[in-house]
Amino acid sequence: MAKAMATPKNSKAHIFAMTISFLLALPLAAILLVHPALMLDANGHYNHSLLMLVMIGISGGFIHGVGFIPKFWLWKWLFSPYVAWPLMILGYYIWVGN
């Protein structure tokens, strides 16, 4: 029987990227659910526009992390790691930087 060719979505690099996406999203989601006060700015307020971007990044991290591939081009782009990872890094900056 012929050996099946590995597609890019089944490669080790893709699985590693999915794992990174999931592991980046998990702590941020937990912090926002359990203790959202850790995301306050220096004045004790939430920056809602930045947190909205962070939540889009978390969503993208989970969507990419579990292997779901949206069909519509906008969702495919928005929830890709190219968009999600920088937004999650922004979330870590807000969390740890304050």
Side-chain angles (χ1 to χ4, degrees), residues 5-6 11 18 20 29-30 34 41 45 47-48 60 62 66 72 88 91 93-94:
M5 293 182 57
S11 69
M18 288 171 49
I20 295 297
V34 176
D41 63 10
H45 298 96
N47 187 334
H48 292 280
F62 281 128
V66 299
F72 185 55
M88 287 189 286
Y93 176 75
I94 293 170

Side-chain angles (χ1 to χ4, degrees), residues 6-84:
T7 60
K9 63 182 176 183
N10 292 332
S11 69
K12 287 183 182 181
H14 189 266
I15 292 171
F16 182 70
M18 288 171 49
T19 305
I20 295 297
S21 292
F22 190 80
L23 291 176
L24 281 173
L26 196 60
L28 283 174
I31 289 302
L32 284 172
L33 288 171
V34 176
H35 197 355
L38 291 175
M39 300 297 258
L40 295 172
D41 63 10
N43 296 326
H45 298 96
Y46 291 106
N47 187 334
H48 292 280
S49 56
L50 284 181
L51 283 178
M52 180 187 68
L53 293 174
V54 171
M55 286 190 244
I56 290 172
I58 293 169
S59 299
F62 281 128
I63 288 170
H64 180 254
V66 299
F68 182 76
I69 301 171
K71 291 184 180 184
F72 185 55
W73 67 270
L74 178 64
W75 305 136
K76 191 179 286 190
W77 172 80
L78 186 63
F79 297 124
S80 72
Y82 302 113
V83 174

